[in-house]
Amino acid sequence: MAAKMRKAKVSIAIDLQQSRLDLASQLGATHTLLGNDPEIISKIGEFAPPNGVNYAVDCTGVPAVIETMIQALGSRGHAASVGAPTAQMLRNAQPNDSRNRLGPLLRAPESKSWGGCG
């Protein structure tokens, strides 16, 4: 709804439940995607050319979802998490460990920003 109020040209809703996507469409989302789509990044890129979205919001706090959100950002894109990883996840995070799903969060490219609420 906020994107619609701000007259955003593109508003992409992503969820695992079709009923929530239907509601998002009713509330103003211009595009909807199922979150388990293996081609989600390329589909987001089609909706937000040339290189990704300017703004993204995550409400789950799930590291894999946050990682996908950051990958979907365009140059100088901004992302925010309303739901945040637990303190234990952050304590265990090793930024340079490729096996760690939080690694990309801790070393987000300088051309992109990620922050939390709270």
Side-chain angles (χ1 to χ4, degrees):
M1 285 190 309
K4 184 177 180 180
M5 290 173 53
R6 299 293 300 169
K7 297 183 181 8
K9 294 176 186 169
V10 175
S11 174
I12 306 166
I14 301 169
D15 202 292
L16 294 175
Q17 295 183 23
Q18 186 60 49
S19 61
R20 290 182 184 172
L21 295 175
D22 295 341
L23 178 60
S25 290
Q26 292 172 12
L27 296 175
T30 59
H31 301 82
T32 61
L33 293 170
L34 286 168
N36 57 3
D37 185 332
E39 301 296 321
I40 195 164
I41 296 297
S42 63
K43 288 182 179 178
I44 291 170
E46 291 172 17
F47 300 145
N51 66 355
V53 300
N54 294 325
Y55 303 98
V57 178
D58 162 63
C59 299
T60 68
V62 175
V65 174
I66 297 170
E67 181 179 355
T68 299
M69 176 180 66
I70 291 172
Q71 290 174 0
L73 290 175
S75 299
R76 298 193 288 181
H78 302 279
S81 290
V82 176
T86 65
Q88 184 65 37
M89 287 175 165
L90 292 174
R91 275 195 297 276
N92 293 337
Q94 299 296 319
N96 296 317
D97 184 349
S98 63
R99 296 167 299 170
N100 184 345
R101 300 214 38 111
L102 284 174
L105 307 181
L106 301 175
R107 61 177 189 283
E110 289 184 21
S111 64
K112 300 177 182 182
S113 67
W114 172 71
C117 299

